[in-house]
């Protein structure tokens, strides 16, 4: 059901010829209201694609009436010409669906540094405007795929209102195609301020903690659009819970679909002096290539976990670090603990727990192993 | 010639049975003086192996009379027992060569989290003490190898004095065996304060800028020992130049021997507002897995360079970034420049130049590509 699970939204996904493969590559999502409240979070990369710069400005007044998304080209590092391309896309979308162009967000994903085939994009937008449907969410989710092996959607329904969404991204492992794009919709009646707060809280502990290969895209975008069509305004806690659930679900699908990966790794840092410490340590573990190789080889190499922790500025005593792999405390007090032989790493899912024994804060991050397939997918094709 | 190229030094390298392979695994380097001035730099990882902790204390008074080095075990994350093992190694070395144990540095490399076979280490040290020779430098260099495919030595001779040395390390790409160990010797008569200053200046722009896979060892150690046996005290600039040359030579050998690598990549950052900015940007480029995969595939993917620069806090304008790959300016003003097709990446050596156009500072870093062989070497063996 994707972005059209919530009332008040139309969507479609078509093949506009942007991708040479002929696969679907252009999607529209339209909010028919009555509300057009919206919020967004964007990549913190300082090199930002033209559509990111545009959509940030669109969101300045907290309203989005439509989103145009394309795969097959990131429109990043394309200079002033790329900025014009994004503006034209928004204007054509506005024409096609009858809204103000300054209420049209644009998302692009694909190769960096290459102009989009604008004739196809603009013709595609016009054609897509004719195909909008309250059942178009799945097609839209398919159209934003790049190297994703499956399209990704999630929906939760509560007492009379719904939050749904779609995501693309292969665990941020893809080539120039690394981008994560997410569009969430709800028919709850929630103002832009609360949407913003709710989305930031949810992404901070979901999408922001997926760190498949440490490479941050120029195009990452997460949007949340509210139509208010249910006529209901949920309690803030209930709404936050629903948005978090959808984000968590989609984030898990990203990790599960990471390119070339054979393991899904959950890194749990506990006993930290602060959540910042826990995240810093978790990220250092999640990004350690040597550890990721070891886990690929099903080797419970806890020394690499300690070595990764040691590179951080977090509060800890090296002689009081405990590490468990799949529940076996292979490291106690910074030295060998229970036998490595007790660790079974044959399953696709692996959990690493690092106890800093310095406080009560914690954080969970998700990553993947490092495989020859990852190298192949990111080196064998010119991209 | 290695560590015995300079007058006043004896060395040897033997097979003590620490490695199951039966290869050489234990080395001694002895300074016969008249001076015993010394300096050292160590890993900045906060999880530090017992020999690193010990050798730091030894250097507190700027004197080293002997160094005992072993491969086949890092003695890291081994708790109080590991600390005792290092002390016993120093004491046995002191007995064998007739010096104070508090003037004996210890270096270990190999698996993390495993105790050394101390009976073999101690018997080996005693045996090695009988085999010390002014020609033993090569054997010592061989004995400290782990996954190194070749042993690594360098020597420069100036007007009556010499700086030489040995290194082990496979570009910091190795498994639990990631450590870089370096011992430099000179027969120049230079006091400990100047040795320290010279060594820090040299390592800062050589070994510290080799960043093969971003993984920092628990055991990295670089020592510089001066015997004064030449009776000469060089001008500070001349001495600094010689130490830098040896460090640069050895650092280059580390990158060239990086495990699984097929490319040696020099990252030159110019036009930076400060050297710190240049190093931050260079490190971000050098650590970007997607870029390292692309270069492995001989794909001049400058978008990944920009994406890596964008994750830093350095001073730059995203729309004024220039990037050259092997001299072809494929990115100008943050967008496509000269044709990618002009870039020839078939050679083993690749140079990436990033011009931040924000000042006059610069830095050079060295890294490798990311290959399926790297993954294999770091995942296929339990380590």
């Amino acid at each position: 059901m994707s972005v059209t699970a919530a009332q008040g939204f139309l969507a479609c996904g078509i093949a506009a010829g942007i991708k040479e493969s002929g696969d679907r590559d252009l999607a529209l999502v339209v909010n028919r209201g009555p509300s057009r409240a919206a919020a967004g979070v964007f990549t913190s990369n300082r090199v930002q694609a033209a559509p990111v710069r545009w959509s940030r400005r669109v969101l300045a007044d907290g309203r989005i009436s439509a989103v145009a998304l394309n795969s097959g080209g990131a429109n990043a590092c394309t200079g002033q010409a790329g900025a014009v391309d994004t503006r034209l896309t928004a204007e054509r979308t506005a024409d096609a669906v009858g809204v103000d162009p300054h209420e049209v967000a644009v998302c692009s994903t694909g190769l960096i540094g290459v102009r989009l085939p604008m004739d196809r994009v603009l013709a595609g937008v016009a054609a897509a405007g004719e195909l909008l449907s309250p059942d178009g969410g799945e097609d839209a989710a398919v159209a934003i795929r790049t190297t994703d092996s499956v399209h990704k959607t999630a929906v939760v329904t509560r007492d009379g209102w719904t939050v749904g969404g779609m995501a693309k991204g292969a665990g941020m492992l893809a080539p120039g195609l690394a981008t994560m794009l997410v569009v969430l919709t709800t028919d709850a009646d929630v103002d832009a301020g609360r949407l913003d707060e709710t989305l930031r809280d949810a992404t901070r502990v979901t999408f922001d903690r997926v760190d498949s290969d440490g490479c941050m895209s120029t195009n990452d975008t997460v949007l949340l659009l509210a139509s208010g069509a249910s006529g209901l305004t949920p309690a803030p806690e209930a709404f936050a819970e629903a948005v978090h659930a959808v984000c968590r679900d989609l984030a898990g699908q990203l990790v599960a679909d990471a390119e070339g990966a054979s393991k899904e790794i959950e890194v749990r840092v506990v006993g930290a002096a602060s959540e910042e410490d826990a995240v810093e340590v978790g990220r250092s573990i999640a990004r350690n290539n040597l550890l990721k190789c070891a886990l690929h080889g099903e080797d419970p190499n806890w020394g690499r976990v300690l070595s990764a922790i040691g590179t951080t500025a977090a509060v800890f005593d090296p002689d009081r670090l405990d590490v468990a792999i799949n529940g076996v405390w292979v490291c106690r007090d910074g030295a060998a603990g229970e036998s490595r032989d007790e660790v079974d790493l044959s399953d696709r899912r692996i959990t690493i727990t690092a106890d800093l024994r310095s406080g009560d804060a914690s954080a969970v991050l998700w990553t993947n192993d490092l495989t020859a397939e990852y190298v192949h997918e990111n080196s064998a094709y010119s991209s």
Side-chain angles (χ1 to χ4, degrees), chain A residues 204 209 267-286 309 312-316 352 354-356 358-365:
Chain A
R204 190 176 63 80
R209 296 197 180 163
V267 179
R268 309 187 71 91
V269 181
V270 301
S274 67
E275 185 177 346
E276 291 69 34
D277 274 13
V279 172
E280 183 189 359
V281 167
R283 219 172 272 285
S284 181
I285 295 170
I309 297 172
T312 72
V315 176
F316 68 84
I352 295 175
D355 189 345
L356 305 185
S358 300
D360 296 324
S362 64
V364 180
L365 287 92

